[in-house]
Amino acid sequence: MTAPTTAPHRTAAPTWVPACASHRLQPERGVAVLLPGGAQAALFRTHDGALYALDNTDPFTGAAVLSRGIVGDRAGEPTVASPMLKHRFALRTGASLDDPGVRLAAYPVLEDGGRVFVGAEPL
C-alpha cells in the first residue's frame, strides 16, 4: 500500500513516514518515530482515538523521551507530561503549559489502510 501524498489541511504535499500498524498504537501510550535527517517524533493516540505527534526531545533536558510521557489532559486540552521533569505540553500544538516561551514542533499524522503515518516536516 502506498501512503497518501496529501492531507486536507496542508497545501504542499508532505512526505509521510510509516510509523506503525494502527492496532499497535495503544491509547494513552506513545511510540518514537525516526524521521528523515535523524529527528524523532513522539506519536500518541488518546483515549478518544485522536492521533498527535510532537518532537520527541524534551526541551528542558535534551533527552529524547517524550514518547514515554504521561498522556492526560488539562481542562479538556490533551497533554503529555515529560517523564523527566513532568513538564506538560499540549498535544495539539506542542505549546508548553508550564513555560509560555517553550514550544515543541507538532507534526501531521495520518491513519490510512490500517497504518499510521507521521509527516516528515512539522506543521
Side-chain angles (χ1 to χ4, degrees):
M1 158 161 272
T2 303
T5 57
T6 60
H9 64 280
R10 295 180 63 116
T11 57
T15 300
W16 293 104
V17 176
C20 62
S22 295
H23 74 278
R24 300 292 306 254
L25 188 57
Q26 298 297 312
E28 310 297 323
R29 299 220 176 157
V31 297
V33 178
L34 185 61
L35 301 174
Q40 292 183 30
L43 173 63
F44 302 96
R45 181 187 304 277
T46 55
H47 66 89
D48 61 359
L51 296 169
Y52 302 96
L54 299 176
D55 187 347
N56 194 36
T57 303
D58 180 332
F60 297 99
T61 65
V65 295
L66 282 178
S67 63
R68 302 283 185 199
I70 302 163
V71 176
D73 76 85
R74 184 182 283 177
E77 175 71 27
T79 63
V80 62
S82 171
M84 300 293 285
L85 301 175
K86 307 302 184 253
H87 288 98
R88 289 190 198 180
F89 300 90
L91 285 172
R92 290 184 183 118
T93 65
S96 170
L97 302 180
D98 300 307
D99 184 339
V102 176
R103 179 178 294 272
L104 296 171
Y107 293 88
V109 181
L110 176 70
E111 189 167 17
D112 184 61
R115 306 253 338 141
V116 180
F117 300 87
V118 175
E121 296 294 323
L123 294 170

